[in-house]
Amino acid sequence: MKAKDFRSPLEPVWCTGCGDFGVLKGLTQALADLEIPPERLAVISGIGCSSRLPGYTRSYAFNSVHGRALPIATGLKLSRPEITTLVVGGDGDGFSIGLGHLPHAIRRNVDLTYVVLDNGIYGLTKGQSSPTTEVDFKRVRGLAGPDERPLNPVLLVLSSGCGYVARTHAGMLPHLRQTVRDAIRYPGFSFVHVLAGCVTYQTPGYAQEIYQRCDEVPAEYDPSSFQAAMTAACAERFQLGVLYRRDPGDGPLDASEAPGLAGIWQPRPARVSEDAAHEE
């Protein structure tokens, strides 16, 4: 099968230039690589721009209520284990409304792949701050919680004991394709953090700025090292690749040596974006 065979007849309604287009393409390519029959595939989501993705795939699909994709997917996988089950959503859906479900899905270690498209904003509801919106942006735009540091999704799931953690970028299609493919193959709960741009409610240079902060992990990087993964999660620049992969037969390690507060980014030096300077 080819990637186009995993596309439904529906045309996406995302804004032109949205990072979600890249994720849809990379996801369908990964599914074609794995030759998963659509009748043995389910894509589950909550609410948000990225949560429209199940409607654009040829599979069983469920667009649930806000933040409830993980428990629905868990129930599906437990009752129909032969179905490859993917969960997709955004940073608001996954790390705000649905956050309470994430550590429990991880500790239950049901064989799901959770792909979070993180554009650092609520796009569908027109630009409120999400749990991953950066402090500088909130202060400039007058959004709620200007003094609240953003969540660090990778650090959060590592601290919760996730056995497979990876990060990629929506604009790096071959990398995204391989990352999603490898995550689906992992026999347990796998988490893929996808950095994506919002062209409507983020600053004009946001997508490019995020892209320029990305580095692929070096060839000598050891994804079996929990401490290496914690260090990569806390790095100033975004480390891309499989950051942690635990043997499925092993239990989670102790996260007590995590630097700083688990799941929270350390403060970044103040900066003024071109957009902020223009507004001033």
Side-chain angles (χ1 to χ4, degrees), residues 215-223 228 232 239-243:
D215 294 318
E216 290 192 47
V217 293
E220 64 272 18
Y221 181 84
D222 179 10
Q239 305 297 301
L240 305 187
V242 179
L243 303 179

Side-chain angles (χ1 to χ4, degrees), residues 29-67:
Q29 289 177 339
L31 294 170
D33 292 341
L34 295 171
E35 300 182 335
I36 300 171
E39 66 271 19
R40 285 182 174 266
L41 172 67
V43 185
I44 314 297
S45 73
I47 296 295
C49 293
S50 54
S51 288
R52 296 177 181 274
L53 200 145
Y56 306 140
T57 58
R58 184 177 166 219
S59 67
Y60 292 114
F62 198 109
N63 188 201
S64 72
V65 295
H66 220 338

Side-chain angles (χ1 to χ4, degrees), residues 203-205 209 271-280:
T203 52
E209 179 187 342
R271 61 181 176 79
V272 178
S273 66
E274 293 182 1
D275 182 69
H278 178 73
E279 290 191 357
E280 290 175 355

